Amino acid sequence: MLHLLITPDIILLVVRDSIQILQAQGYKITKPRKQVLKALEETQEPLSPYDIQRILRQQGKYLNHVTIYRILDLFRRLNLAHRVLSSGGFVKCALRDKQGCHRLMVCRCCGALQEFIDDKLCQHESELAQNSGFHTEYHLSESSGICSDCYKKQ
Amino acid sequence: MLHLLITPDIILLVVRDSIQILQAQGYKITKPRKQVLKALEETQEPLSPYDIQRILRQQGKYLNHVTIYRILDLFRRLNLAHRVLSSGGFVKCALRDKQGCHRLMVCRCCGALQEFIDDKLCQHESELAQNSGFHTEYHLSESSGICSDCYKKQ
DNA sequence: GCTTAATTGCAACAATGTTGCATTTATTGA
DNA sequence: TCAATAAATGCAACATTGTTGCAATTAAGC
């Protein structure tokens, strides 16, 4: 899965996109924030705060773990990144819908993950909740299974 | 939400149900396992392993935290309990479907949660994943929002 | 009641997450 | 370009959560 070809150009583009969002909301564009953003961009797997610290350290960059926690928390609030529920790691949001719904497919063999959005699905799920009087604001969902690559190999 | 009237009788019933499942699979019915089961039964909110330790300690019962981790892990494998993804706490499974899908509604005001199952929804979500060649085994999903009680109060 | 395999407790440790406060830095406007 | 300042980071110290190996205990079956 994740056959996305992520060239340096594309990464730069997405990073710039996130930076604009930060700026627009009045947040400073600091070196640590750019570094965390870049680490998230360059890695497909979910990264825990300490994972990010390790990755950056290997590149000779040192960030205090407290700083990373605070940055990730900010990214999450701004919907620039989100936490993969089952593993606890952070990934950069690939898709952004207005409500902040996240749906992931996670391969239990290789760990690859892919994000998807589907309005109809959200609508259906919200209706079911509504039947119990529940007012849904957003959905988080993870489909666990096997990706096409791993399926072929078996 | 959670208007379920949990009388001591009912709790006993559900605990006994879980115990039978343990027994059927060849696991021993030990005092610690019964205590953890009871703690999960008597509490609606998700409980972390250390939460459970604190609750039991208040009742004069001491369990080593390692034991609790191992018991919860067993319960999870047997689908007797599952982890609430967003909070990390454990709840006893209210509903059990063959595949092990879990869908929760979590109120962001009062924290109340309610489990639900819907075959059609699972089917739809699986189909969407199938379009990317992904073979879904089970779904975990959480709807975040406001329960009817909290909604009225606003 | 024994036997024994499963389970628990313990110790020691590793990893993760939090708080308050001093220091540094990105932005703004003179 | 530089000073002012509010925001952001680093640091220290700590709290919580999670893991491993091994010895002691216990539930289940005879």
Side-chain angles (χ1 to χ4, degrees), chain B residues 49-86:
Chain B
Y50 281 95
D51 285 341
I52 291 174
Q53 190 178 48
R54 276 184 284 273
I55 287 175
L56 291 176
R57 188 154 41 206
Q58 280 169 4
Q59 303 173 4
K61 298 162 193 161
Y62 173 78
L63 284 191
N64 190 284
H65 69 278
V66 181
T67 301
I68 299 175
Y69 273 94
R70 295 197 267 228
I71 289 175
L72 287 173
D73 204 53
L74 175 68
F75 286 2
R76 203 180 38 69
R77 287 200 308 274
L78 296 180
N79 210 22
L80 297 178
H82 65 96
R83 250 195 141 144
V84 175
L85 295 173
S86 52

Side-chain angles (χ1 to χ4, degrees), chain B residues 82-98:
Chain B
H82 65 96
R83 250 195 141 144
V84 175
L85 295 173
S86 52
S87 72
F90 286 84
V91 288
K92 193 149 179 321
C93 293
L95 308 162
R96 216 164 282 143
D97 89 345
K98 53 265 160 244

